[in-house]
Amino acid sequence: MRPFLLRRDELPNWIKHLARESQVYFPQRAGRSGFRFKQVREGSLIQLEHYRPTIVPPGKKLFPAEEILFRYQTMGDEIPVVTPVLDASKQILAGVRPCDLKGIDLMDRVHGEGVPNPHYLSRRTHTTIIACDCLYPCDDACFCDAVGSLGWRKNADVFLTALDDEILVESFSERGRTLVQRTALPVCDAVDSFKERVDVRRSKPFGRQFSVPLSQIGPIIAGQWSSPVWENHVQRCFSCGSCNLVCPTCYCFNVRDDFELSDGSSGGRTATWDGCMLPTFSIVAGGHDFRPLALARQRHRVKRKFQYLTQRFEEGAFCVGCGRCGRQCTANIDIFDIVNDLIQKVEG
Amino acid sequence: MNAIACHDGPFLPQMARILEVTAMTAREKFFRVALPAPLGHRPGQFVMLSLLGIGEAPISISCGPRDDNILEMVIRNAGSLTQVLHRLQPGQFVGVRGPFGSGFHLADFYGKDVVFIVGGLGLVPLRSLIQPILAQPDLFGHVTIISGCRTPAEELYREELQSWSRMGGERRPVTVIRLVDDTAHLPWDGRIGLVTAPIADLAMDPDRTLVALCGPPVMYKFAIMELTGRGIAHSHIFVDLERRMKCGIGQCGHCQINHLTCCQDGPVFRLDRIVDLQEALQ
């Protein structure tokens, strides 16, 4: 299907049109300066704006902070009955940037390969993604281009590229084509020249850059276990886990049982977000802790993003360069700076 | 990688009825439960055991592979879940997910002399490998079991250890060495000392000996040092590791050791595959 053109001022109508039929989440103002993915209502202010990324990435709509795995009912001496809980409600995540699009793709792999996670996959199957291109870095913390996220298009159902008053609307899936076809949009006859003009306009360099190519970062980090860089950065860390909570590719969880106080015979089991920076994360029964120091936990976190998971899933980086962990860090620790210092140390 | 016997998704437990609960020591109880269907496990695998409304924890499978629907476990009273488990009676239900993990492959041990070195609770998972090896004398060589614990009161499977020592023959000798750190003024018919001490005097042919290790984290370092000194290659040593686990399917992140997950790639690892990974053994 050939791409369409949408006038920028028509975007709100299209998004609100979609919102009449299913739940649509779009980045909207919340509070004084922040944005968050809020459900679109008739009165919502919808515009593709330049804004600092939302605190919580849109991918968390697929992996909520609390996920009920099943409910149970005990029945005296009889076998208890356990009933799975799967969320199959339709949703559209719109206004998703390339970094977050890549984050969702990585989570699709984590939850889809090996033993599939039916809870994630049920939501994912019922989720449509309308992503959009970035022409300028969102702020000084962004480094999406350095980790190969800026050009991410895979797994977008619809992809929007806004330039001046026009938006190029491309659909990459059957589901995307259905969303687009329902609106009578003019076909774009000059896609190549549109994209050329976009590339001319796009910031260069785009955000922060590492001094070595991405392919070299994994080996560099793999070779540095006792570098003083780890200590330099972790000195300020409170082990609060904020970086875990806001990361598009953090997916560790805990499992908790609940029971109904009212009847004492029913309840459920819930997966809740956990974070590898939290002090209790690696303690086993009996009290042995495999990562008792914040240094070991931070090193583990950085190595997960640039070494361990990249090795396991054969990806360039599990960090998408959104900059959220650095922005939200209560001690101003930035994963870009840690990686950059490790690179500099090697280059010496 | 491993068969998941969960029919409705990996997080749903099967309900198993408790057949037997026996106190083994002051802290450990032996559980035999009946599952709705055979577990179909390999030695060294584990299950996620749960009590609805209380919680779930990884528990080693203590019995060898079997055709019936029976599962045996030893549970130490070490936390809120296991405390409640210790109060259960036959007829009550527990939730079981799994089996999980790589486990041991019996074929790796065919024709080999096998040395088991276990400390404390380490005997519990390795019993799942000891049982099938002792049950098929023609397939395996000399079996040595070195089992250590702190005091005689903490020794697990005492009668089985004693009966295993009588299962040897001319073609397939079986040696069982039982140790305590301290007799604590209790009667004791075994040796006194660390579980690593007998390694120096074992008659071992490094080419045809495989070693399986399971015990507290501190045991691995010294046992491996002694074994290496006796010429046993890292590729001939299997370690059974413990980590915090919440899912069993490689997703919750707790048991990650570098790029590996203990619940999927382990908990049994051939030592040469993890010896260079930081945080694996300590």
Side-chain angles (χ1 to χ4, degrees):
Chain A
M1 194 163 94
R2 290 163 71 188
F4 294 97
L5 276 179
L6 178 70
R7 285 214 330 264
R8 194 186 272 264
D9 57 9
E10 286 172 343
L11 178 75
N13 285 338
W14 180 51
I15 294 292
K16 286 178 186 178
H17 170 72
L18 299 176
R20 281 174 211 124
E21 292 175 10
S22 67
Q23 285 184 44
V24 180
Y25 294 93
F26 194 91
Q28 300 167 59
R29 272 190 193 285
R32 254 179 295 175
S33 56
F35 275 71
R36 77 184 155 105
F37 278 84
K38 288 202 292 189
Q39 194 173 344
V40 175
R41 315 266 179 206
E42 280 303 321
S44 298
L45 182 64
I46 301 298
Q47 37 191 163
L48 282 178
E49 281 186 71
H50 190 77
Y51 66 94
R52 294 209 318 178
T54 55
I55 293 174
V56 179
K60 302 293 184 192
K61 299 282 182 207
L62 299 161
F63 187 74
E66 303 236 322
E67 174 92 81
I68 298 173
L69 302 173
F70 63 79
R71 295 191 184 285
Y72 70 85
Q73 176 71 53
T74 59
M75 304 191 291
D77 295 338
E78 301 293 304
I79 300 176
V81 174
V82 177
T83 316
V85 177
L86 290 176
D87 185 346
S89 44
K90 286 190 175 171
Q91 62 178 354
I92 297 174
L93 303 179
V96 174
R97 287 172 167 168
C99 56
D100 287 331
L101 189 61
K102 183 181 179 190
I104 292 171
D105 186 58
L106 294 175
M107 291 307 94
D108 287 353
R109 297 196 55 196
V110 164
H111 293 107
E113 295 179 11
V115 182
N117 176 345
H119 303 274
Y120 178 93
L121 294 178
S122 173
R123 274 208 189 75
R124 184 67 184 91
T125 308
H126 295 93
T127 299
T128 306
I129 301 175
I130 302 175
C132 59
D133 202 357
C134 291
L135 268 64
Y136 314 101
C138 41
D139 66 4
D140 294 342
C142 155
F143 57 101
C144 59
D145 190 34
V147 288
S149 301
L150 180 59
W152 201 267
R153 302 292 180 270
K154 186 185 152 198
N155 74 319
D157 295 293
V158 178
F159 196 84
L160 310 177
T161 308
L163 186 69
D164 301 326
D165 295 333
E166 289 178 316
I167 299 173
L168 183 72
V169 182
E170 298 171 276
S171 44
F172 296 153
S173 71
E174 199 50 50
R175 203 183 288 174
R177 280 185 275 281
T178 314
L179 284 192
V180 173
Q181 267 164 350
R182 273 185 289 170
T183 56
L185 294 175
V187 168
C188 177
D189 292 320
V191 177
D192 290 345
S193 76
F194 188 98
K195 288 188 175 176
E196 276 166 26
R197 281 184 289 141
V198 167
D199 284 336
V200 168
R201 189 78 64 84
R202 201 188 310 273
S203 292
K204 286 181 202 66
F206 196 98
R208 296 188 284 179
Q209 302 287 334
F210 295 118
S211 57
V212 298
L214 182 57
S215 59
Q216 288 179 27
I217 293 178
I220 286 175
I221 290 185
Q224 299 193 64
W225 186 260
S226 40
S227 165
V229 170
W230 303 117
E231 181 61 38
N232 291 348
H233 286 273
V234 85
Q235 277 170 356
R236 308 194 298 277
C237 178
F238 300 117
S239 295
C240 70
S242 298
C243 48
N244 294 131
L245 296 182
V246 300
C247 177
T249 66
C250 270
Y251 58 89
C252 290
F253 60 85
N254 228 323
V255 176
R256 180 193 75 210
D257 275 36
D258 298 301
F259 61 93
E260 280 293 333
L261 285 172
S262 55
D263 61 20
S265 63
S266 66
R269 185 165 294 164
T270 305
T272 61
W273 291 351
D274 203 350
C276 62
M277 280 310 300
L278 299 172
T280 56
F281 189 77
S282 301
I283 297 179
V284 296
H288 188 85
D289 189 349
F290 289 90
R291 283 188 288 277
L293 298 175
L295 185 149
R297 296 194 294 275
Q298 192 174 83
R299 180 174 54 202
H300 180 75
R301 177 175 149 71
V302 174
K303 280 178 173 267
R304 257 177 88 97
K305 303 300 174 192
F306 287 94
Q307 179 193 340
Y308 300 159
L309 294 179
T310 56
Q311 200 177 340
R312 191 173 181 87
F313 290 93
E314 295 175 348
E315 278 287 345
F318 249 69
C319 168
V320 299
C322 66
R324 284 185 177 91
C325 55
R327 275 184 218 103
Q328 300 309 324
C329 179
T330 46
N332 287 322
I333 301 167
D334 190 323
I335 195 168
F336 179 91
D337 293 337
I338 299 175
V339 173
N340 208 28
D341 286 358
L342 290 167
I343 294 168
Q344 305 304 326
K345 205 82 194 167
V346 169
E347 293 186 330
Chain B
M1 182 178 284
N2 54 324
I4 305 287
C6 308
H7 8 263
D8 296 306
F11 294 106
L12 274 201
Q14 304 185 70
M15 301 315 298
R17 190 187 291 268
I18 297 175
L19 301 176
E20 178 193 338
V21 186
T22 309
M24 301 179 94
T25 71
R27 286 195 295 174
E28 281 92 20
K29 281 189 175 180
F30 173 84
F31 285 75
R32 179 178 284 128
V33 305
L35 293 151
L39 195 58
H41 68 281
R42 281 194 296 275
Q45 288 193 297
F46 68 97
V47 294
M48 294 298 289
L49 184 70
S50 64
L51 279 176
L52 297 175
I54 308 288
E56 189 177 51
I59 300 289
S60 301
I61 297 169
S62 197
C63 52
R66 43 200 300 164
D67 298 329
D68 61 13
N69 58 347
I70 300 298
L71 165 64
E72 292 175 347
M73 297 164 286
V74 174
I75 295 165
R76 172 175 287 180
N77 184 347
S80 49
L81 171 69
T82 49
Q83 191 177 357
V84 184
L85 279 166
H86 267 229
R87 292 188 197 160
L88 295 185
Q89 303 291 329
Q92 291 184 285
F93 290 94
V94 291
V96 174
R97 295 194 293 126
F100 296 118
S102 53
F104 293 100
H105 294 266
L106 266 183
D108 291 344
F109 294 83
Y110 289 164
K112 304 285 187 191
D113 294 338
V114 190
V115 177
F116 294 92
I117 302 172
V118 297
L121 276 176
L123 179 58
V124 171
L126 290 198
R127 177 178 178 258
S128 69
L129 180 61
I130 293 171
Q131 280 185 339
I133 285 183
L134 289 183
Q136 302 168 86
D138 295 342
L139 294 179
F140 307 94
H142 185 173
V143 176
T144 306
I145 301 165
I146 306 172
S147 172
C149 55
R150 272 179 227 165
T151 69
E154 290 169 46
E155 188 177 42
L156 299 168
Y157 290 124
R158 175 173 297 155
E159 285 170 17
E160 285 190 39
L161 283 164
Q162 287 166 342
S163 72
W164 291 339
S165 69
R166 295 189 291 268
M167 286 176 76
E170 205 162 295
R171 278 184 56 207
R172 199 279 313 264
V174 176
T175 309
V176 176
I177 302 170
R178 295 158 52 230
L179 301 103
V180 290
D181 299 345
D182 180 355
T183 60
H185 308 293
L186 293 165
W188 177 243
D189 56 350
R191 298 190 198 176
I192 298 170
L194 294 175
V195 73
T196 48
I199 298 172
D201 301 323
L202 289 185
M204 287 192 293
D205 174 356
D207 291 335
R208 52 166 289 153
T209 301
L210 293 183
V211 183
L213 290 179
C214 190
V218 64
M219 191 192 92
Y220 294 102
K221 184 181 161 190
F222 293 102
I224 290 164
M225 220 190 299
E226 292 285 339
L227 290 165
T228 307
R230 293 296 313 278
I232 306 288
H234 285 168
S235 60
H236 284 214
I237 299 173
F238 293 86
V239 291
D240 192 346
L241 302 183
E242 183 191 13
R243 285 295 185 282
R244 191 167 176 211
M245 296 173 185
K246 288 291 175 180
C247 70
I249 57 172
Q251 286 174 1
C252 81
H254 290 91
C255 71
Q256 187 155 348
I257 303 169
N258 288 229
H259 62 291
L260 304 171
T261 55
C262 197
C263 70
Q264 290 258 291
D265 302 306
V268 175
F269 294 96
R270 215 174 79 182
L271 182 60
D272 58 322
R273 297 192 172 132
I274 57 152
V275 70
D276 293 328
L277 299 184
Q278 302 279 357
E279 293 176 346
L281 290 171
Q282 59 256 298

